[in-house]
Amino acid sequence: MSYTYTTDLGAIRAVVHRYAIEAGLTEARTIDLVLAVSEVAANTVKHAKSSGSLKIWYDTREIVCQIHDEGVITDPLAGHRQPSLDALGGHGLWIVNQVCDEVELHSDESGTTIRLHMNLPGTTPGHDQVA
């Protein structure tokens, strides 16, 4: 599924929640994924000054949410360093990296694409689902 958003993050949160439950995530992990997508989408609204697109898919091992916008992230370690408590920014991507099983970030002059991966219950990354 693919969705475009500009400012209505409530609709994006609802879509992610629905797909995460359908895929088989627990409620607690679903909340983590909704939080992560919301943080990345909020960065689109705040920094990219363009609409964003969300694509969601899942298989027997994982659910993936891909967010793309026209913004550019220049810091190659964005989200990998814990910001200080008094920092004015930088908490969102760090939180995303804490709650997701894998985060892929690609950014260049054409924009930024971030993929958020969550393993489904009973699976190990890169392996078939355990029966």
Side-chain angles (χ1 to χ4, degrees), residues 18-37:
R18 186 177 81 238
Y19 274 89
I21 293 296
E22 181 180 296
L25 279 182
T26 64
E27 184 64 28
R29 294 293 282 158
T30 293
I31 291 168
D32 286 345
L33 184 59
V34 169
L35 169 69
V37 169

Side-chain angles (χ1 to χ4, degrees), residues 22-76:
E22 181 180 296
L25 279 182
T26 64
E27 184 64 28
R29 294 293 282 158
T30 293
I31 291 168
D32 286 345
L33 184 59
V34 169
L35 169 69
V37 169
S38 184
E39 286 293 335
V40 174
N43 283 345
T44 297
V45 172
K46 183 175 181 180
H47 300 292
K49 308 294 190 259
S50 70
S51 62
S53 66
L54 167 69
K55 293 182 181 178
I56 305 172
W57 65 92
Y58 61 90
D59 59 23
T60 59
R61 294 184 320 256
E62 69 177 354
I63 183 169
V64 180
C65 294
Q66 176 178 290
I67 299 100
H68 177 81
D69 62 44
E70 295 176 7
V72 177
I73 297 174
T74 57
D75 180 359

Side-chain angles (χ1 to χ4, degrees), residues 3-15 41 45:
Y3 300 90
T4 301
Y5 61 92
T6 52
T7 57
D8 185 7
L9 299 185
I12 292 299
R13 290 181 195 108
V15 166
V45 172

